[in-house]
Amino acid sequence: MQTAIFLIFFLIMIIPVSRYIFMVSQKKATVLDPFMDRVDGGILRLSGISHEPMTWFEYGRAMILTNLAMMAAGYLILRLQSFLPVNPNGASGMSPDLAFNTAISFITNTNLQHYPGETGISYLSQMTVIIFMMFTSAASGYSVCLAFIRGITGQESLGNFYEDIVRVTTRILIPFSVLGGLILISQGVPQNFSQNLTVHTIAGKLQDIAMGPIASLEIIKHLGTNGGGFMGANSSSPLENPTVMTNMIEMLSMMLIPGSLVLTFGHMADETRKRRKSSVKKTFFSEAFPVFTVMAVIFLTGALLLTTSEFKGNPVFADAGLTSTANMEGKELRFGIEQSALFSNVTTSFTTGSVNNMHDSLTPLGGGVAMMNMMMNMVFGGKGVGLMNMLIYVILTVFICGLMIGRTPEYLGKKIEKKEMMFTALAIIVHPLLILAFSAIAVTSSGGLDGITATSHHGLSQVLYEYASSAANNGSGFEGLKDNTFFWNVTTGVVMFLGRFLPILLQLAVAGSLWRKKFINESEGSLKTATVTFTVSLLIVVVIFSALTFMPALVLGPLSGHILLWR
């Protein structure tokens, strides 16, 4: 009942938010325009930015160069933070490989943390590197997603990256963050610049309590599907996530914009249809229906499997005659199984990476579900990338179905031909190639093997999870891995960088190619994509391709662990 009410509330919220994102992306009038028009205009004038529409290559180049510049600045700040102000706890400068990993991690929206949050980073670095990149990396992803949607729906142009990133930041991320941050503060999340407190506990011991700008980081960490915590314990810490209310807010924050973007896609497709005066009558949700339905089915299946596996726990407990066999290891009592399992499914489905329980302590099947969510990287996903990945699979499904029924494959009035399929195939291949290739390197090299702390199947799961998290720009980890070493810092840094920018460029190439094509008149003989039949076909294609790609690795890792646990 608790989960059902939560999901119903999510469905209600994304309807108005999707409309608002659509209005922002299409430069239509919104309530914030009188003030934000001046702010946006001032930023663009100060930056000397051209307002001219960009080609897909210009858009991708602007996005990558802008992110590289921010990454270089972040690297320098992390290296020099011990000499910079606003460092009351005396954090030392990061080593070259750790700074390399951290700068890439946060500019790619991964937020993989190989450093201790409480002591490894200064307040200045938290604000100018971590929180700043949480905004810009999320805005970059959402901007690219909007350009991709414009391309495949046949809008007038793909847009301008600089305009898009400014508008997404000032009109979506900042207003939502201010509102959400105030709610978190009201629930007890700290927001200050004080140094850590050392207090006497009732047990007569001394304990350090972290202070700092926690609430401002916490809200954009979830709204931007970032995931990096102010503290090493992330959202399992009562300072980042003190109550069940904040737990719900943080989950909704993760889900809000990615879920809304699916409906925004429907709005854009409907706008193009109306502009073309198509005779085929459809609602704004028509084209979004198969995408949203497949995402929801996979998400709910994962939530059911993960929750059930954690409630069943370890059979050794049952053999010992214990009344409760639920796996509470690594979980907070204030959240319990339901809130912990749902959070784990949400954070890996929406590729956020924050955790309110330790995923290394999940049952093998529970950890496998979280891992599979990242391996698919399309179950809503984060920062717009999940929708783009799913739409790539939609194009693949259209191509397959078109060939099966003897019709020219077309989607939204555009022909799907050799060039689009070449880019589509490459975009699909990149993600599993990075995960499996680097996992193979890790388990066959001394540098990789030295970081593995578990034996047998769970040790392989640690490796697979780390690279799946890096390639999917998720950032969560099994945390049993000793990852702050030169090998793991460099290899995961490379995977995060390639896993972020290679698929984006290939997806923009698909959008740019389709955008340049002329529309084909729709008729009753055209392949219908807003149907139950196509939705089932899309689900089958997604499952088959994911299963064929990752099943051998999953069998050797979490599935074998699950079988051995219950044999």
Side-chain angles (χ1 to χ4, degrees):
M1 180 66 72
Q2 182 182 116
T3 302
I5 293 173
F6 171 80
L7 294 176
I8 290 171
F9 193 63
F10 159 69
L11 293 175
I12 293 172
M13 288 183 66
I14 63 175
I15 295 174
V17 173
S18 68
R19 181 67 185 176
Y20 176 71
I21 295 175
F22 168 71
M23 302 291 281
V24 170
S25 67
Q26 300 302 90
K27 298 183 180 178
K28 298 180 183 292
T30 68
V31 68
L32 296 179
D33 283 354
F35 175 70
M36 286 303 178
D37 281 346
R38 298 179 182 180
V39 174
D40 294 354
I43 293 172
L44 294 173
R45 283 194 300 272
L46 183 64
S47 305
I49 298 301
S50 169
H51 294 263
E52 293 296 318
M54 296 178 171
T55 65
W56 75 265
F57 182 78
E58 291 170 338
Y59 202 102
R61 181 179 61 188
M63 185 271 296
I64 291 178
L65 291 178
T66 302
N67 279 260
L68 284 175
M70 291 186 287
M71 185 180 77
Y75 175 85
L76 290 175
I77 293 172
L78 294 172
R79 292 280 288 128
L80 301 173
Q81 65 181 1
S82 61
F83 304 103
L84 299 175
V86 200
N87 186 15
N89 297 318
S92 58
M94 287 187 178
S95 64
D97 58 294
L98 181 57
F100 168 81
N101 182 277
T102 304
I104 290 180
S105 177
F106 283 86
I107 203 60
T108 59
N109 200 255
T110 311
N111 293 209
L112 188 73
Q113 293 175 277
H114 288 177
Y115 63 87
E118 295 90 334
T119 58
I121 193 166
S122 69
Y123 292 172
L124 180 70
S125 296
Q126 290 278 25
M127 293 183 292
T128 61
V129 179
I130 306 305
I131 298 178
F132 173 75
M133 287 186 178
M134 284 182 172
F135 276 99
T136 58
S137 64
S140 295
Y142 291 135
S143 298
V144 169
C145 182
L146 295 176
F148 180 79
I149 296 174
R150 293 183 191 122
I152 66 172
T153 57
Q155 301 288 309
E156 294 182 359
S157 74
L158 298 182
N160 181 294
F161 171 74
Y162 301 113
E163 284 189 337
D164 285 341
I165 192 173
V166 169
R167 288 177 67 84
V168 168
T169 302
T170 60
R171 297 166 189 262
I172 299 175
L173 295 179
I174 289 179
F176 287 14
S177 293
V178 170
L179 178 61
L182 291 173
I183 297 175
L184 291 180
I185 292 171
S186 74
Q187 292 293 301
V189 179
Q191 177 70 18
N192 55 51
F193 293 105
S194 304
Q195 70 181 67
N196 293 351
L197 298 178
T198 301
V199 298
H200 288 275
T201 67
I202 57 175
K205 306 290 184 180
L206 294 176
Q207 179 179 340
D208 286 335
I209 299 178
M211 292 285 108
I214 300 176
S216 58
L217 181 148
E218 198 68 18
I219 187 62
I220 188 57
K221 150 184 158 183
H222 292 107
L223 270 175
T225 64
N226 291 283
F230 195 93
M231 284 158 281
N234 209 283
S235 286
S236 64
S237 165
L239 293 177
E240 289 195 23
N241 190 10
T243 66
V244 172
M245 177 66 74
T246 59
N247 199 59
M248 292 282 198
I249 292 170
E250 291 179 10
M251 284 193 290
L252 282 172
S253 299
M254 289 186 245
M255 302 166 73
L256 184 61
I257 300 180
S260 299
L261 278 173
V262 180
L263 302 190
T264 298
F265 162 66
H267 283 297
M268 288 191 179
D270 184 57
E271 182 184 55
T272 302
R273 187 176 296 108
K274 289 178 179 177
R275 178 162 50 84
R276 293 175 55 216
K277 298 180 180 179
S278 172
S279 60
V280 181
K281 294 183 179 180
K282 296 181 180 179
T283 64
F284 84 91
F285 189 63
S286 295
E287 294 301 338
F289 170 77
V291 175
F292 192 91
T293 301
V294 170
M295 288 178 171
V297 168
I298 299 174
F299 173 81
L300 293 174
T301 302
L304 179 63
L305 286 174
L306 210 157
T307 303
T308 302
S309 65
E310 296 308 305
F311 266 115
K312 288 187 176 180
N314 194 324
V316 173
F317 298 154
D319 294 340
L322 300 178
T323 56
S324 175
T325 61
N327 176 31
M328 280 299 296
E329 180 186 321
K331 298 177 179 63
E332 291 292 312
L333 289 175
R334 67 185 184 280
F335 299 139
I337 296 291
E338 298 92 335
Q339 290 282 312
S340 299
L342 182 59
F343 198 103
S344 295
N345 194 56
V346 168
T347 195
T348 51
S349 294
F350 290 79
T351 63
T352 304
S354 63
V355 294
N356 76 345
N357 66 94
M358 292 300 103
H359 289 189
D360 192 51
S361 295
L362 293 173
T363 60
L365 183 59
V369 170
M371 197 183 304
M372 194 62 202
N373 286 336
M374 297 183 296
M375 288 174 170
M376 288 190 290
N377 197 21
M378 67 185 76
V379 189
F380 291 104
K383 67 270 175 195
V385 174
L387 175 59
M388 294 166 67
N389 290 340
M390 181 61 80
L391 289 175
I392 287 293
Y393 272 88
V394 169
I395 292 172
L396 175 63
T397 306
V398 167
F399 185 78
I400 294 173
C401 291
L403 294 180
M404 289 175 64
I405 61 176
R407 294 177 183 169
T408 301
E410 59 180 76
Y411 184 54
L412 301 178
K414 300 291 184 78
K415 283 187 178 181
I416 308 296
E417 296 177 305
K418 177 182 176 181
K419 186 177 181 180
E420 293 79 41
M421 287 313 302
M422 179 182 68
F423 288 129
T424 296
L426 289 173
I428 291 173
I429 290 171
V430 165
H431 183 64
L433 179 63
L434 289 172
I435 296 172
L436 299 177
F438 277 86
S439 294
I441 293 171
V443 297
T444 54
S445 62
S446 58
L449 292 171
D450 289 343
I452 301 173
T453 58
T455 59
S456 188
H457 309 287
H458 193 69
L460 177 60
S461 294
Q462 285 183 335
V463 175
L464 286 170
Y465 194 102
E466 185 78 358
Y467 287 117
S469 179
S470 299
N473 300 137
N474 179 270
S476 63
F478 262 17
E479 303 308 338
L481 199 70
K482 292 188 291 185
D483 48 25
N484 188 12
T485 64
F486 182 83
F487 175 87
W488 287 101
N489 284 335
V490 172
T491 57
T492 55
V494 171
V495 171
M496 287 186 286
F497 188 87
L498 296 178
R500 168 72 160 178
F501 294 116
L502 272 182
I504 282 178
L505 287 177
L506 293 167
Q507 290 158 348
L508 283 176
V510 173
S513 179
L514 289 174
W515 179 78
R516 285 193 295 268
K517 292 188 174 185
K518 293 182 179 180
F519 281 103
I520 301 172
N521 291 328
E522 290 184 79
S523 67
E524 293 303 323
S526 300
L527 176 66
K528 304 297 188 298
T529 54
T531 64
V532 174
T533 301
F534 182 81
T535 302
V536 173
S537 300
L538 176 60
L539 178 61
I540 292 172
V541 168
V542 168
V543 172
I544 288 177
F545 273 78
S546 299
L548 288 176
T549 305
F550 291 108
M551 186 56 69
L554 290 172
V555 167
L556 292 173
L559 292 181
S560 292
H562 176 73
I563 293 170
L564 290 176
L565 189 67
W566 287 90
R567 64 179 179 179

